[in-house]
Amino acid sequence: MATTEPALSESGRELVREVLIHGPIARAELGRRLGLSPASLTRLSRPFLDSGLFVEGAVELAGAVGRPARPLDVQADLQRFVGVKLTGDQAFGVLTDLRARALGEHVADLAGRSPEEVVEALVAVVQALTAGSSGSGSGSGVGVGVAGVEGLAGVGVSIGGKVTGQRTVLRATFLAWREVDLGGMLAERLGVPVVVENDVVALTEAERWFGLGRGVDDFAVVTVGAGVGYGLVVHGRQVVTPDTGLGLGGHVPLDPTGPICVDGHRGCSTAMLSTTSMCASAVMGLGRRVAYDELLALAASGDPVAVQVVGTAGRSLGRMVAAVANLTMVGTVVLSGEGVGLVDVPVAATELRAGIAADRDPDASEVRVLTGAADFGAWARGAAAVAVQARIGSLGA
């Protein structure tokens, strides 16, 4: 059943964000982060405790003689979201809780690439993920009970392309789309809030709130897969510009002797690191076509052709990481995307570090490289994360 949400100030929404991201978190730490007195924090948190969105953890003592305190956390399973990553031929979806943790997944093939056909596939994914889960996210509480498919609180869709207003796809080359109101079309079909976002932006937000970038004020994300993506977080906020979504991170020059990408750039990050380019580079030496996972397995087993291709890609990825760290001065780079299994191959891991060292000042701080999940689920969880963010931002509005 839908409930009436309290009128919230920005302080209230920021409180929810802090508890969601950092919970369970001590009240004293919350007050410090938000600049709130204990009385103000108690007043702001009370409606969320009453509604069930917040829960109190085990008693913690504030020092040897301090008053007992209960840390605050969210009841993460109170709401459900669906995140979907769109590719040129599939819609990969996950059902998640409030912290974008995957509870189930479903993949649907696209019957075609028209907006109407894509929306049909998205609806099928959402319906498959919510079938039989009625009530799992529709209990009482702040923000629960949104009308629509099985009580979902929101749906996020991520797409490789340029998006505006978290709704309209201005350009998606792989679907041959321009100016498509995907968010509006899907929301009309589902009856729930829908957020559409560039896939790298969404994945970076997932890392910032719930993933490897959680609690890190300054970091970059480099994605490897069908393409190469780049996201940047500075002072706790992602940098998004009018050119975000154009794939500019995919054309960083890395090797002047490397292959040429489809846009005519020799040795750029796409030519050196995309899964299709790597597989194409192996064809001549192997005498046959090879899938990406097989290429990595061959390299791990010592096949000389695969070792050469994968090692070169590892070195190029290291140069990409060094370029990002040098230009942005971040100390942490998160690697993600469906092709990031590259760094699990020993020769690539070795060359990655060599590539970073070759392009960094010897006195520079060591770049911390963190590796995320190597599957499409990471992209879909990114889509769910921006839906969660939008929901929290709308509380009490």
Side-chain angles (χ1 to χ4, degrees):
M1 177 180 297
T3 61
T4 301
E5 297 173 356
L8 295 182
S9 64
E10 178 56 33
S11 294
R13 285 186 284 273
E14 187 61 30
L15 171 62
V16 176
R17 286 192 286 268
E18 287 293 324
V19 176
L20 180 63
I21 296 170
H22 300 291
I25 182 170
R27 294 170 190 260
E29 174 64 12
L30 264 177
R32 185 190 67 78
R33 285 176 173 270
L34 300 174
L36 295 173
S37 67
S40 296
L41 181 60
T42 297
R43 175 181 55 80
L44 280 173
S45 61
R46 178 50 54 192
F48 301 112
L49 286 165
D50 291 343
S51 70
L53 181 63
F54 281 4
V55 292
E56 293 181 315
V59 172
E60 294 181 352
L61 293 177
V65 296
R67 293 179 57 189
R70 291 182 180 272
L72 290 176
D73 202 355
V74 296
Q75 188 174 325
D77 61 355
L78 193 65
Q79 298 185 18
R80 295 288 186 267
F81 297 82
V82 167
V84 187
K85 159 67 174 174
L86 270 179
T87 70
D89 51 17
Q90 288 186 321
F92 188 104
V94 292
L95 179 71
T96 79
D97 63 10
L98 260 171
R99 286 198 167 109
R101 293 180 295 212
L103 307 173
E105 63 182 47
H106 184 79
V107 183
D109 293 332
L110 303 183
R113 296 183 176 181
S114 71
E116 293 75 17
E117 289 170 315
V118 171
V119 167
E120 287 302 320
L122 291 171
V123 170
V125 169
V126 174
Q127 290 177 333
L129 287 169
T130 55
S133 64
S134 180
S136 62
S138 56
S140 63
V142 175
V144 180
V146 179
V149 182
E150 302 295 347
L152 277 181
V155 172
V157 180
S158 73
I159 186 169
K162 186 174 174 59
V163 178
T164 187
Q166 293 195 318
R167 171 170 172 153
T168 302
V169 180
L170 295 179
R171 187 183 89 174
T173 304
F174 67 96
L175 290 173
W177 281 7
R178 283 191 179 271
E179 300 283 350
V180 175
D181 183 12
L182 180 61
M185 294 173 65
L186 188 57
E188 184 176 354
R189 287 292 306 278
L190 295 176
V192 301
V194 174
V195 174
V196 180
E197 189 53 271
N198 168 262
D199 54 1
V200 178
V201 170
L203 189 146
T204 301
E205 286 301 280
E207 296 293 1
R208 182 171 74 92
W209 272 39
F210 307 117
L212 296 173
R214 175 174 172 264
V216 182
D217 285 339
D218 306 291
F219 68 95
V221 172
V222 174
T223 64
V224 178
V228 178
Y230 166 63
L232 178 65
V233 173
V234 177
H235 301 314
R237 293 184 178 275
Q238 184 172 178
V239 178
V240 178
T241 76
D243 289 333
T244 295
L246 295 179
L248 301 181
H251 297 289
V252 176
L254 298 176
D255 186 345
T257 66
I260 300 174
C261 79
V262 294
D263 291 325
H265 303 141
R266 181 173 294 280
C268 70
S269 50
T270 296
M272 302 304 299
L273 293 171
S274 70
T275 55
T276 52
S277 293
M278 289 175 61
C279 291
S281 295
V283 168
M284 183 173 296
L286 293 173
R288 63 184 178 88
R289 294 186 180 276
V290 62
Y292 184 68
D293 287 344
E294 184 183 0
L295 176 64
L296 298 186
L298 287 170
S301 67
D303 179 272
V305 172
V307 166
Q308 174 64 33
V309 172
V310 170
T312 299
R315 171 72 66 128
S316 296
L317 182 56
R319 297 200 66 193
M320 177 86 171
V321 169
V324 167
N326 289 344
L327 293 172
T328 65
M329 298 186 183
V330 299
T332 300
V333 176
V334 176
L335 304 179
S336 191
E338 72 276 16
V340 79
L342 169 71
V343 300
D344 292 330
V345 181
V347 65
T350 299
E351 291 295 329
L352 168 71
R353 281 297 172 188
I356 295 173
D359 287 357
R360 291 279 282 172
D361 188 290
D363 290 332
S365 302
E366 182 178 357
V367 181
R368 185 171 63 142
V369 179
L370 307 176
T371 305
D375 58 25
F376 273 104
W379 295 106
R381 290 190 294 277
V386 293
V388 171
Q389 290 179 330
R391 185 69 193 117
I392 297 304
S394 70
L395 285 176

